């Protein structure tokens, strides 16, 4: 009876921790290490159920089963995060503190009832994530980017930089990537816009996908890269590998952070330069954010047409300014006009995607780069999304429309076999 009363006074997290410790005491870790994944989980689950059922705790059968699964997740998975990672409706997981876990569903943030035991528990989960991809996080390296097995992006920042304790952010990428058909059904873009974008990729035009944080740039890049012919040799370059290309001839490269001595870092620029020696037909950079922008432009201008990349910016015009600023980071002392001319000749179009106030993602403009207009880069919109207001449910109202402008690159696409329908550019609105 005393045992039961002590459990009633104990926090649920403490109960789980005590049972977890008892399970570990009974495990033969050496034998377990030689057992295959599924067999090991089954074997451990038997031990967990035995330990849980042997305790006098005021829990129903269903609660005991849930507790058993949570302990199994602690041993083999990512603890409290596991049930969120199994929920396909969750697009972001944001751990502000060990006891404040938020998720994003349908573009809206909400607080969950989940929590970690304490900061030490959260830190153990972070270390488990980053160690699986050869990264590290400690006081000398308190910020880290990593990825999960399904390609989801992970960022962690710990004290002393994070004042209230370790902070974890996970941007979800499901095991089954979003398809072009799903983007049309979600009204991210229209059939006409997709027809144009797919023709541009097949016709080897250089595209820049621009957007803010969480706008869906990588998702759109994944969809567009699916139109690259299977015969092309593709080299992808990323900070944390997220792209899920289905072609056969793909070489995936990933940057490397410095080691504990501060040496051995490999930056994106080095990988872009190295990729030029790998005979690529296409170069896909997950996101340009520094001096590698110069080498990317060089590649686009020297026979590596059909390259794709993303950039953080709120409009196509801002995207051009950002690329110009990133080129200046290379400290090559190139005149501004020469940089703009190189950008204008390398990039054929900017695809702007945005996350709207209701959480939906939309391709808000498809803009062609037409060359230089005196001292600035000339652009013209081919497709736009016109916002007209917000309805009673908080949903953004608006419609996609073609501007009526036939792009200059249409003739180039025609010579490559991607002939565009004249009706595609007729000025009309589409819901």
């Amino acid at each position: 009876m005393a045992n039961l009363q002590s459990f009633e006074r104990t926090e649920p997290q403490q109960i789980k921790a005590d049972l977890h410790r008892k399970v570990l005491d009974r495990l033969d870790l050496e034998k377990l290490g030689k057992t295959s994944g599924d067999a090991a989980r089954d074997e451990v689950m038997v031990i967990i159920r035995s330990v849980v059922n042997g305790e006098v705790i005021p829990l129903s059968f269903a609660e005991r089963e849930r507790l058993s699964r949570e302990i199994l997740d602690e041993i083999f998975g990512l603890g409290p995060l596991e049930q969120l990672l199994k929920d396909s409706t969750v697009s972001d997981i944001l751990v502000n503190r060990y006891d404040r876990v938020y998720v994003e569903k349908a573009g809206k943030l909400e607080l969950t009832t989940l929590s970690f035991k304490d900061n030490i528990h959260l830190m153990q989960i972070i270390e488990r994530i980053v160690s699986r991809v050869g990264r590290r996080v400690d006081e000398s390296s308190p910020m880290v980017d990593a990825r999960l097995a399904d390609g989801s992006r992970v960022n962690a920042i710990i004290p002393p930089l994070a004042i209230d304790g370790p902070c974890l952010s996970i941007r979800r990428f499901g095991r089954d990537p979003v398809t072009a058909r799903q983007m049309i059904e979600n009204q991210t873009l229209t059939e006409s816009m997709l027809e144009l974008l797919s023709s541009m990729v097949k016709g080897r035009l250089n595209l820049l996908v621009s957007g803010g944080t969480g706008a869906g740039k990588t998702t759109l890049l994944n969809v567009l890269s699916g139109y690259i012919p299977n015969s092309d040799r593709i080299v992808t370059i990323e900070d944390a590998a997220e792209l899920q290309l289905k072609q056969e001839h793909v070489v995936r490269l990933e940057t490397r952070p410095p080691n504990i001595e501060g040496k051995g870092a490999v930056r994106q620029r080095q990988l872009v330069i190295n990729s030029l020696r790998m005979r690529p037909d296409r170069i896909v950079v997950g996101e340009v954010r520094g001096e590698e922008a110069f080498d990317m432009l060089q590649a686009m201008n020297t026979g590596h047409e059909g390259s794709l990349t993303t950039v953080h910016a709120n409009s196509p015009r801002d995207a051009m300014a950002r690329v110009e600023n990133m080129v200046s980071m290379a400290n090559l002392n190139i005149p501004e006009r020469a940089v703009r001319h190189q950008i204008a000749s390398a990039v054929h179009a900017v695809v702007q995607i945005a996350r709207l106030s209701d959480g939906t993602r939309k391709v808000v403009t498809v803009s062609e780069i037409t060359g230089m207009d005196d001292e600035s880069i000339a652009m013209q919109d081919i497709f736009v999304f016109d916002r007209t207001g917000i309805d009673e449910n908080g949903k953004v109202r608006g419609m996609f429309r073609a501007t009526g402008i036939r792009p200059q690159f249409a003739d180039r696409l025609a010579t490559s076999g991607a002939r565009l329908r004249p009706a595609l550019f007729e000025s009309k609105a589409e819901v």
Side-chain angles (χ1 to χ4, degrees):
M1 192 67 178
N3 193 20
L4 175 60
Q5 289 173 345
S6 67
F7 268 113
E8 287 175 339
R9 291 193 303 267
T10 308
E11 290 289 328
Q13 287 286 0
Q14 187 58 48
I15 294 175
K16 196 196 307 182
D18 291 341
L19 293 174
H20 186 194
R21 189 168 55 252
K22 290 180 180 180
V23 170
L24 290 179
D25 289 341
R26 288 183 54 175
L27 288 179
D28 185 342
L29 296 178
E30 186 176 344
K31 178 184 174 185
L32 198 64
K34 299 176 183 176
T35 311
S36 63
D38 291 339
R41 289 180 72 93
D42 293 341
E43 186 178 324
V44 171
M45 193 59 169
V46 171
I47 297 173
I48 291 172
R49 285 182 176 137
S50 173
V51 171
V52 171
N53 293 331
E55 295 290 343
V56 184
I57 48 179
L59 297 176
S60 66
F61 176 77
E63 289 170 331
R64 287 172 184 265
E65 278 296 295
R66 190 180 73 245
L67 181 60
S68 297
R69 285 194 300 272
E70 288 175 359
I71 295 172
L72 189 70
D73 288 339
E74 287 291 342
I75 295 172
F76 288 100
L78 302 178
L81 298 177
E82 282 294 325
Q83 64 186 88
L84 297 178
L85 293 171
K86 291 171 184 172
D87 187 346
S88 60
T89 64
V90 173
S91 56
D92 281 282
I93 302 171
L94 307 170
V95 184
N96 292 358
R97 292 188 333 213
Y98 75 90
D99 58 348
R100 303 285 287 182
V101 180
Y102 289 82
V103 296
E104 182 187 283
K105 291 186 177 182
K108 298 292 185 180
L109 283 178
E110 56 187 65
L111 180 65
T112 70
T113 57
L114 295 175
S115 71
F116 296 82
K117 181 187 175 187
D118 50 28
N119 282 330
I120 295 174
H121 183 201
L122 174 55
M123 194 66 202
Q124 288 171 344
I125 298 301
I126 291 173
E127 288 173 345
R128 187 176 299 177
I129 292 171
V130 301
S131 64
R132 288 177 179 176
V133 291
R135 303 280 168 113
R136 65 184 179 87
V137 59
D138 51 40
E139 208 167 293
S140 64
S141 180
M143 295 184 293
V144 66
D145 286 312
R147 68 180 186 278
L148 301 180
D150 65 1
S152 297
R153 180 193 310 163
V154 178
N155 175 268
I157 182 166
I158 66 171
L161 301 187
I163 297 171
D164 296 324
C167 182
L168 180 67
S169 306
I170 300 177
R171 174 70 48 79
R172 296 290 309 285
F173 293 95
R175 290 180 176 83
D176 299 317
V178 174
T179 63
R181 178 52 49 190
Q182 288 171 324
M183 294 193 90
I184 291 172
E185 290 171 355
N186 295 337
Q187 297 185 332
T188 301
L189 42 60
T190 64
E191 294 268 12
S192 299
M193 296 167 77
L194 183 64
E195 182 181 342
L196 174 64
L197 293 173
S198 61
S199 297
M200 291 162 72
V201 174
K202 293 172 186 174
R204 303 183 68 85
L205 299 188
N206 297 319
L207 297 184
L208 187 66
V209 177
S210 168
T213 301
K217 298 186 297 298
T218 303
T219 301
L220 180 58
L221 189 64
N222 253 327
V223 169
L224 295 180
S225 64
Y227 293 102
I228 298 175
N230 201 42
S231 57
D232 283 5
R233 175 175 169 82
I234 308 165
V235 177
T236 69
I237 298 164
E238 301 172 85
D239 268 340
E242 301 161 3
L243 295 172
Q244 302 175 41
L245 275 65
K246 302 299 183 185
Q247 288 85 346
E248 294 178 5
H249 211 344
V250 178
V251 178
R252 304 170 73 208
L253 305 180
E254 186 179 51
T255 60
R256 186 176 71 183
N259 60 22
I260 198 166
E261 298 172 347
K263 300 177 181 177
V266 178
R267 300 174 63 82
Q268 275 202 146
R269 184 178 188 188
Q270 294 167 271
L271 293 180
V272 172
I273 293 171
N274 186 79
S275 71
L276 301 177
R277 306 186 183 108
M278 299 172 68
R279 197 230 164 264
D281 292 308
R282 312 264 189 151
I283 299 173
V284 180
V285 179
E287 181 186 338
V288 287
R289 52 167 64 92
E291 66 271 17
E292 69 273 5
F294 173 75
D295 302 285
M296 186 72 192
L297 293 176
Q298 291 284 88
M300 290 175 171
N301 273 323
T302 55
H304 298 92
E305 292 113 341
S307 296
L308 306 170
T309 189
T310 72
V311 64
H312 263 90
N314 292 326
S315 70
R317 182 65 62 188
D318 287 348
M320 295 295 95
R322 274 220 68 201
V323 172
E324 185 179 338
N325 290 337
M326 288 187 286
V327 170
S328 68
M329 293 180 185
N331 295 321
L332 298 172
N333 296 320
I334 302 174
E336 288 183 358
R337 180 176 172 79
V339 172
R340 289 174 191 150
H341 181 78
Q342 190 165 30
I343 294 170
S345 62
V347 181
H348 295 103
V350 179
V351 183
Q352 185 72 36
I353 187 167
R355 180 172 63 172
L356 306 184
S357 58
D358 60 357
T360 58
R361 275 85 171 175
K362 304 282 187 189
V363 175
V364 292
T365 55
V366 178
S367 304
E368 180 188 19
I369 309 299
T370 57
M372 292 289 292
D373 181 10
D374 195 18
E375 293 294 319
S376 61
I377 297 171
M379 309 174 71
Q380 59 184 13
D381 293 339
I382 310 301
F383 284 97
V384 297
F385 176 75
D386 288 331
R387 280 172 263 198
T388 57
I390 297 177
D391 66 17
E392 60 277 5
N393 298 317
K395 293 290 184 182
V396 173
R397 286 177 173 162
M399 55 186 60
F400 296 98
R401 67 176 177 85
T403 60
I405 297 174
R406 183 177 184 271
Q408 295 179 10
F409 55 68
D411 292 334
R412 172 174 170 164
L413 291 182
T415 60
S416 66
R419 195 174 296 277
L420 299 172
R421 297 181 292 111
L424 199 65
F425 308 111
E426 290 178 2
S427 182
K428 58 183 178 181
E430 298 181 67
V431 179

